[in-house]
């Protein structure tokens, strides 16, 4: 459509276009190459958490500058999150001042985490003020719920900008945090002084600042996990109620054993001190995020007071602790970047996360947080899930790591066919394969424990990152046990096809078998994905379908709701399982009434194989390497 403009309107339009063009030209979009030299001057940041119960973090930051063009970054690639996840959408009220005057800033049109401005003559410092509005729902990691009426979890990347063009280790910042009245806190940052509820921390390199989260709360406890040791390790817990933060004697014993067993495994530590920062709340999401001298761990409110809840989440704390060695001290070369706005590359996450996950289960067992039977059930479930991964037909394990920014953020169904962050669970099976192969080749004289000491057990006390490549991993494995490890690993990482390529469970003397009988404890653990081929919530909402499975062939897809089974029985887990049992006997199709959007229809699933219960059993005549792997190190 052609527009007719009056001369006045046309003049305004031209003026606006020229201004927009000038603005665009003034905002360079070419990334600024970082240089490894000290940034002149000290940044300061004051984070006022007095309104944290209302999910408002108020920030005042000062940044030394000189006149001319200036660019600052908001941290984008957060170590451990493996994707460009810095929660910039939660930044609001951004105002930049200098000498009492406001300075205009321009967001880069190609990189939303980059801010450009022109610094006037005579200005040597800018003052940056903004609010971080902590989410009330959803989000990943620091973009998720981080505050309640009684506690706050703060990742410092949420609350600071930093100058572009420098290594983050060359930028020094001094943080100050103001807490709600009477709240206690913990952080790996060194306290310089305290004035009531205001804590002044010592100046620190910006990369260590981001790597040292803080937790604080009305209900707080701190437990020593290494009494009398030269290197302190503490367990800090905050919760929404006093009853939630009580650590039992058995839990304390397991956590202290964890510290002992981890140090025996690696033969060195890489922190001046270490702080577990545990949040127990039903308001925050459940996850863990590693840091070099601490970990941000979040679990449900009943985690410490319910034995089943604790057992289900028992590997979280070992996992994040192991990352101090694997992921923080030793890190894949492409996952080390000079600052937080240079993209990371995730192709080695099968080591960074997969090996960490393997050792998490092993250490949970060696420390007594799990029994051997608990570990076997866990590895059985992982083996069962990965053995039924239909997406392996087209997508390799390696690709799930390389494309981690996508696999972390999948939405909707079809997870089994698209694959997810399989470098965690299948990574466990991969490293069990490696461990048992070393034991087999060496007649059980060497193991992955020897690799741990060789690869991570140097430079005791240092927490300066040491990077590695695929070839470095292969070379270290060859020093432990000569073998063609490059071919061994690539055959599993790059494999596509119908079968699970890892053979570690069988080599360890155990196998997963299926029958129609529940396990001895009487718990019904039959998985519908292994039989009829779908998974659903208790209300019948379908969230997973096995590609080319019986349900798939009948037209069931994720997002549908199964309303009724058979001749009209309302859907429940027991009802669908009863129908599956019946179909195995009378060979009649399983009748389902499904709701798809606003429409209803009947489908018949042609499945007659009955329920399938997985069991882990010994292989007759096989060497029980699992027993040796799980035994505490003396």
């Amino acid at each position: 459509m052609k527009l007719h403009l009056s001369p006045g309107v046309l003049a305004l339009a031209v003026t606006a276009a020229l201004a927009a063009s000038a603005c665009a030209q003034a905002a360079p979009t070419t990334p600024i190459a970082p240089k490894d030299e000290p940034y002149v001057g000290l940044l300061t940041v004051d984070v006022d958490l007095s309104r944290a119960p209302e999910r408002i973090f108020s920030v005042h930051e000062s940044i030394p500058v000189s006149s001319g063009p200036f660019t600052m970054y908001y941290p984008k690639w957060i170590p451990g999150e493996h994707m460009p996840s810095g929660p910039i959408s939660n930044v609001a009220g951004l105002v930049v001042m200098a000498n009492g005057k406001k300075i205009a800033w321009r967001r880069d049109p190609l990189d939303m985490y980059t801010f450009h401005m022109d610094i006037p003559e005579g200005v040597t410092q800018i003052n940056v003020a903004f609010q971080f509005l902590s989410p009330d729902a959803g989000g990943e990691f620091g973009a998720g719920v981080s505050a309640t009426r009684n506690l706050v979890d703060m990742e410092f990347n949420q609350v600071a900008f930093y100058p572009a063009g420098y290594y983050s280790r060359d930028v020094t910042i001094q943080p100050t945090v103001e807490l709600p009245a009477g709240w206690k806190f913990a952080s790996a940052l060194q306290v310089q002084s305290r004035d009531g509820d205001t804590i002044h921390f010592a100046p620190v390199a910006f990369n260590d600042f981001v790597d040292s989260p803080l937790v604080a709360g009305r209900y707080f406890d701190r437990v020593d996990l290494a009494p009398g040791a030269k290197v302190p390790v503490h367990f800090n817990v905050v919760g929404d109620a006093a009853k939630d933060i009580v650590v039992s004697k058995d839990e304390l014993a397991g956590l202290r054993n964890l510290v002992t067993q981890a140090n025996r495994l690696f033969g060195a530590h890489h922190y001046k001190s270490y702080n577990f920062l545990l949040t127990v709340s039903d308001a925050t999401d459940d996850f863990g995020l590693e840091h070099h001298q601490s970990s941000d761990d979040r679990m449900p409110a009943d985690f410490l007071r319910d034995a089943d809840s604790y057992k289900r989440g028992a590997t979280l704390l070992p996992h994040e602790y192991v990352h101090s060695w694997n992921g923080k001290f030793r890190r894949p070369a492409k996952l080390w970047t000079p600052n937080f706005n240079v993209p990371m590359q995730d192709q080695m996450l099968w080591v960074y996360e997969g090996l960490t996950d393997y050792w998490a289960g092993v250490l949970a067992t060696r420390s007594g947080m799990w029994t051997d039977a608990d570990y076997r059930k866990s590895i059985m479930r992982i083996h069962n899930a990965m053995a039924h991964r239909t997406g392996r037909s087209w997508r390799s394990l390696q690709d799930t790591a390389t494309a981690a920014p996508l696999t972390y953020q999948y939405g909707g169904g079809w997870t089994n066919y698209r694959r997810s962050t399989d470098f965690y669970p299948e990574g466990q099976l991969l490293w069990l394969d490696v461990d048992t192969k070393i034991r087999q080749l060496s007649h059980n004289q060497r193991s992955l424990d020897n690799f741990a000491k060789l690869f991570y057990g140097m430079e005791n006390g240092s927490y300066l990152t040491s990077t590695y490549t695929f070839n470095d991993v292969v070379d270290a494995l060859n020093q432990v046990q000569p073998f063609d490890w490059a071919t061994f690993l690539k055959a599993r990482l790059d494999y596509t096809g119908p079968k699970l390529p890892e053979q570690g469970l069988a080599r360890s003397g155990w196998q997963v078998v299926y029958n129609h009988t529940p396990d001895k404890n009487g718990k019904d653990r039959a998985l519908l994905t292994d039989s009829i081929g779908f998974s659903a919530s208790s209300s019948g909402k379908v969230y997973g379908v096995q590609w080319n499975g019986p349900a798939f062939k009948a037209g069931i897809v994720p997002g549908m709701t199964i309303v009724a089974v058979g001749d009209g029985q309302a859907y429940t887990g027991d009802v669908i399982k009863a129908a599956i049992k019946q179909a195995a006997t009378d060979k009649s199709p399983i009748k389902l009434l499904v709701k798809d959007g606003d429409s209803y229809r009947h489908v018949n699933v042609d499945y007659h194989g009955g329920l399938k219960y997985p069991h882990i059993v010994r292989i007759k005549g096989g060497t029980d390497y699992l027993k040796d792997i799980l035994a505490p190190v003396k």
Side-chain angles (χ1 to χ4, degrees):
M1 179 175 68
K2 188 175 182 180
L3 295 178
H4 297 276
L5 301 178
S6 68
V9 172
L10 181 61
L12 288 173
V14 171
T15 302
L18 291 173
S21 174
C23 234
Q25 293 174 12
T29 57
T30 302
I32 301 173
K35 50 190 176 184
D36 191 7
E37 61 182 54
Y39 185 76
V40 177
L42 175 70
L43 281 69
T44 67
V45 62
D46 185 324
V47 185
D48 183 355
L49 295 178
S50 62
R51 297 187 68 184
E54 301 164 52
R55 298 186 297 276
I56 299 172
F57 307 171
S58 297
V59 184
H60 290 85
E61 182 178 10
S62 68
I63 303 176
V65 294
S66 56
S67 61
F70 176 73
T71 298
M72 68 181 186
Y73 289 146
Y74 186 77
K76 181 176 184 178
W77 288 82
I78 311 305
E81 298 187 13
H82 311 312
M83 54 186 170
S85 56
I88 195 165
S89 296
N90 300 102
V91 171
L94 178 62
V95 175
V96 180
M97 301 286 292
N99 294 342
K101 297 180 179 180
K102 185 180 290 189
I103 293 182
W105 53 263
R106 303 175 299 276
R107 191 189 302 264
D108 194 287
L110 295 184
D111 184 353
M112 305 296 113
Y113 291 74
T114 299
F115 295 77
H116 306 288
M117 60 195 78
D118 297 309
I119 307 301
E121 287 290 338
V123 171
T124 59
Q125 174 181 290
I126 58 173
N127 298 304
V128 181
F130 63 95
Q131 295 81 41
F132 180 80
L133 305 178
S134 185
D136 58 4
E140 294 279 347
F141 302 108
V145 178
S146 298
T148 73
R149 299 298 299 176
N150 298 301
L151 61 85
V152 61
D153 304 313
M154 186 172 64
E155 303 283 346
F156 278 105
N157 59 274
Q158 298 169 329
V159 293
F161 290 83
Y162 69 106
Y166 293 83
Y167 281 32
S168 57
R169 69 188 179 198
D170 293 328
V171 177
T172 304
I173 187 168
Q174 182 164 26
T176 295
V177 175
E178 300 172 45
L179 299 175
W183 284 22
K184 296 181 180 178
F185 78 98
S187 172
L189 293 177
Q190 182 181 348
V191 175
Q192 188 177 72
S193 63
R194 180 167 187 169
D195 180 14
D197 295 309
T198 300
I199 297 93
H200 302 281
F201 294 100
V204 62
F206 197 86
N207 62 318
D208 290 332
F209 166 72
V210 167
D211 197 36
S212 305
L214 175 146
V215 299
R218 190 186 317 276
Y219 304 105
F220 174 97
D221 196 16
R222 179 176 173 88
V223 180
D224 190 349
L225 297 186
K230 293 181 179 179
V231 182
V233 180
H234 286 94
F235 181 73
N236 307 274
V237 56
V238 294
D240 281 318
K243 65 179 181 180
D244 296 336
I245 65 170
V246 178
V247 181
S248 72
K249 289 182 179 180
D250 287 344
E251 290 164 351
L252 178 57
L255 290 168
R256 286 177 171 171
N257 288 339
L258 170 61
V259 174
T260 299
Q261 288 297 315
N263 280 279
R264 287 177 181 172
L265 171 64
F266 295 111
H269 67 275
H270 299 292
Y271 46 78
K272 289 184 178 179
S273 64
Y274 192 90
N275 281 277
F276 290 94
L277 306 175
L278 175 66
T279 299
V280 284
S281 172
D282 291 331
T284 58
D285 295 327
D286 303 341
F287 69 83
L289 184 60
E290 66 273 14
H291 299 276
H292 211 139
Q293 301 189 91
S294 62
S295 58
D296 179 356
D297 309 303
R298 307 188 194 184
M299 294 299 283
D302 67 353
F303 178 63
L304 294 175
R305 54 181 168 80
D306 180 84
D308 288 340
S309 180
Y310 189 75
K311 186 165 288 189
R312 284 193 300 271
T315 59
L316 175 68
L317 298 172
H319 180 102
E320 304 308 335
Y321 188 40
V322 166
H323 270 317
S324 182
W325 290 266
N326 183 35
K328 302 305 290 186
F329 174 63
R330 297 303 310 268
R331 191 178 308 173
K334 299 293 185 179
L335 278 172
W336 182 92
T337 54
N339 63 39
F340 302 107
N341 292 69
V342 174
M344 299 178 183
Q345 299 180 43
D346 293 324
Q347 55 263 43
M348 291 290 286
L349 285 182
W350 55 274
V351 184
Y352 185 119
E353 296 292 2
L355 180 53
T356 297
D357 227 24
Y358 174 70
W359 273 326
V362 170
L363 286 173
T365 310
R366 289 181 181 179
S367 65
M369 301 167 80
W370 270 358
T371 64
D372 284 19
D374 292 328
Y375 179 88
R376 290 195 296 269
K377 287 182 180 179
S378 174
I379 205 71
M380 175 193 74
R381 291 167 191 156
I382 290 169
H383 188 279
N384 177 58
M386 294 298 102
H388 290 85
R389 226 19 158 207
T390 55
R392 186 179 290 106
S393 64
W394 70 275
R395 188 176 191 184
S396 68
L397 174 62
Q398 177 61 73
D399 189 62
T400 70
T402 302
L406 302 178
T407 52
Y408 272 103
Q409 295 186 328
Y410 271 169
W414 302 118
T415 299
N416 195 279
Y417 189 54
R418 294 191 303 184
R419 304 197 74 170
S420 183
T421 53
D422 290 355
F423 48 86
Y424 287 91
E426 192 172 334
Q428 287 197 50
L429 301 179
L430 174 66
W431 287 101
L432 177 62
D433 208 356
V434 172
D435 200 349
T436 55
K437 189 65 177 178
I438 294 173
R439 290 174 185 271
Q440 182 187 61
L441 291 170
S442 68
H443 304 288
N444 213 19
Q445 296 302 301
R446 291 178 293 280
S447 71
L448 203 59
D449 286 26
N450 298 97
F451 173 84
K453 288 185 174 63
L454 175 66
F455 207 63
Y456 304 93
M458 74 286 282
E459 300 176 28
N460 191 39
S462 171
Y463 54 96
L464 295 177
T465 299
S466 174
T467 62
Y468 62 84
T469 65
F470 176 85
N471 288 337
D472 293 329
V473 174
V474 169
D475 290 346
L477 288 170
N478 273 312
Q479 290 181 58
V480 172
Q481 176 60 53
F483 186 61
D484 187 359
W485 290 109
T487 299
F488 180 94
L489 291 170
K490 288 179 179 178
R492 288 149 179 79
L493 290 167
D494 297 334
Y495 172 81
T496 55
K499 296 182 179 179
L500 185 67
E502 292 84 16
Q503 302 300 314
L505 188 62
R507 195 180 297 113
S508 71
W510 293 83
Q511 63 180 335
V512 178
V513 299
Y514 300 86
N515 58 37
H516 302 311
T517 307
D519 58 21
K520 293 179 180 179
N521 64 15
K523 293 184 177 180
D524 187 343
R525 296 198 181 278
L527 299 176
L528 300 182
T529 51
D530 299 345
S531 55
I532 195 171
F534 71 79
S535 50
S537 68
S538 59
S539 64
K541 183 78 171 183
V542 177
Y543 55 83
V545 176
Q546 293 288 99
W547 194 262
N548 280 331
F552 174 91
K553 292 176 180 177
I556 294 176
V557 298
M560 288 181 172
T561 299
I562 302 174
V563 178
V565 181
D567 294 326
Q569 283 187 285
Y571 176 89
T572 67
D574 289 339
V575 167
I576 186 63
K577 287 175 182 177
I580 292 172
K581 288 181 181 179
Q582 182 178 340
T585 302
D586 61 22
K587 304 304 180 183
S588 59
I590 300 169
K591 299 178 181 180
L592 303 175
L593 174 64
V594 302
K595 181 183 179 184
D596 188 5
D598 293 329
S599 64
Y600 293 81
R601 63 187 174 91
H602 291 277
V603 298
N604 292 327
V605 182
D606 190 19
Y607 173 72
H608 310 286
L611 292 171
K612 293 184 178 180
Y613 292 89
H615 303 268
I616 185 166
V617 298
R618 288 277 288 116
I619 297 173
K620 191 174 181 179
T623 302
D624 187 1
Y625 285 132
L626 272 190
K627 181 179 179 181
D628 297 326
I629 289 171
L630 301 176
V633 178
K634 303 297 184 182

